[in-house]
Amino acid sequence: MNPRLDIVICGVGGQGSVLAAHTLARAAIGRGLLVRTSEVIGMAQREGPVTGHVRLGDGIPGPIIPDGRANFLLGLELAEAVRGLAKLRPGGTALVSQTAIVPVTVRLGLSEYDPQALTEHLERAVAGRDGRLYLLDTAALARAAGHPKAANAALLGAFSQLPGLPFTPADLLAALLEQLPAKMHAVNRQAFQAGGEHMQHLLAGLPSPVFHSELSVTA
């Protein structure tokens, strides 16, 4: 029997959530795993929510991950990670970017967006599930690699260092690069490696040499 693993990826349009989901699926297929995927996309080209479901292993009844079943929650945007929390299982791991993309409704004064409150909610909610939460400034990692759009690569690089995955960091990086034009390989490779190095230091309880953490807010 192949190991069963459910991964949810949350973000907004333009962040590369679907690309990240496809990358995970390709890496798993390369390891001989059965894979089912699904994407839920709402007004993606207008910074609407985008959620990817990646299910790996035998005996999967469908592509949609039920609430409370995801082993991993990957969040490319702070509020969307909070929205996706219902999917995380007890004892699961959330790997969340601190990037905050403020909706139009906030700019119009119709709603509020408080990154600090969202972060605190994530911390309480994941702790309440006896899970692990890793907060990353993927925007800073991407900028250090040379391109702000490579934040999804940085998140994947960080994810690749977590224990218990059925593929290696090299598998995941190769699956990412084979979907990108050659001119984008260098910057995405650098972002992936920066994310991986940053996560290695977090797991070891050491300060990261990549950058000093900062909150990234897009208004």
Side-chain angles (χ1 to χ4, degrees), residues 138-139 141-151 184 187-188 190-191:
T138 56
L141 289 166
R143 288 195 299 271
H147 199 294
K149 291 292 187 180
M184 295 299 296
V187 68
N188 279 275
Q190 291 170 15

Side-chain angles (χ1 to χ4, degrees), residues 176-217:
L176 172 64
L177 296 182
E178 70 185 15
Q179 300 175 83
L180 297 171
K183 65 181 181 180
M184 295 299 296
H185 282 193
V187 68
N188 279 275
R189 181 182 290 109
Q190 291 170 15
F192 186 95
Q193 292 171 345
E197 183 179 355
H198 183 60
M199 178 55 74
Q200 286 174 354
H201 282 75
L202 286 181
L203 292 173
L206 300 172
S208 173
V210 181
F211 68 96
H212 296 292
S213 180
E214 60 185 40
L215 184 64
S216 174
V217 180

Side-chain angles (χ1 to χ4, degrees), residues 11-15 40-51 80 104:
V12 301
Q15 288 191 296
V40 180
I41 301 173
M43 298 294 287
Q45 294 184 356
R46 299 190 179 207
E47 297 183 346
V50 179
T51 304
E80 292 306 318
V104 173

Side-chain angles (χ1 to χ4, degrees), residues 4-205:
R4 287 276 298 274
L5 206 63
D6 288 337
I7 306 168
V8 171
I9 304 174
C10 302
V12 301
Q15 288 191 296
S17 303
V18 173
L19 175 62
H22 289 178
T23 297
L24 294 168
R26 282 172 176 260
I29 290 170
R31 284 286 174 171
L33 294 175
L34 297 176
V35 178
R36 288 178 182 262
T37 66
S38 178
E39 290 89 38
V40 180
I41 301 173
M43 298 294 287
Q45 294 184 356
R46 299 190 179 207
E47 297 183 346
V50 179
T51 304
H53 296 241
V54 183
R55 312 198 74 185
L56 316 177
D58 296 325
I60 298 171
I64 302 297
I65 299 171
D67 287 354
R69 291 287 299 275
N71 303 86
F72 297 100
L73 172 68
L74 306 185
L76 282 163
E77 199 279 333
L78 197 56
E80 292 306 318
V82 171
R83 195 194 303 270
L85 270 174
K87 295 294 181 183
L88 189 65
R89 71 186 305 169
T93 297
L95 188 59
V96 177
S97 171
Q98 291 174 296
T99 298
I101 299 178
V102 179
V104 173
T105 53
V106 174
R107 296 196 288 268
L108 294 175
L110 301 177
S111 61
E112 296 181 355
Y113 192 117
D114 184 343
Q116 185 60 40
L118 290 170
T119 300
E120 292 172 357
H121 178 78
L122 275 169
E123 292 170 344
R124 290 193 303 270
V126 175
R129 290 171 168 80
D130 294 322
R132 293 181 176 87
L133 172 64
Y134 298 98
L135 289 167
L136 303 175
D137 191 338
T138 56
L141 289 166
R143 288 195 299 271
H147 199 294
K149 291 292 187 180
N152 58 345
L155 186 68
L156 286 173
F159 176 67
S160 75
Q161 299 299 316
L162 295 179
L165 300 181
F167 36 69
T168 68
D171 294 333
L172 204 55
L173 177 58
L176 172 64
L177 296 182
E178 70 185 15
Q179 300 175 83
L180 297 171
K183 65 181 181 180
M184 295 299 296
H185 282 193
V187 68
N188 279 275
R189 181 182 290 109
Q190 291 170 15
F192 186 95
Q193 292 171 345
E197 183 179 355
H198 183 60
M199 178 55 74
Q200 286 174 354
H201 282 75
L202 286 181
L203 292 173

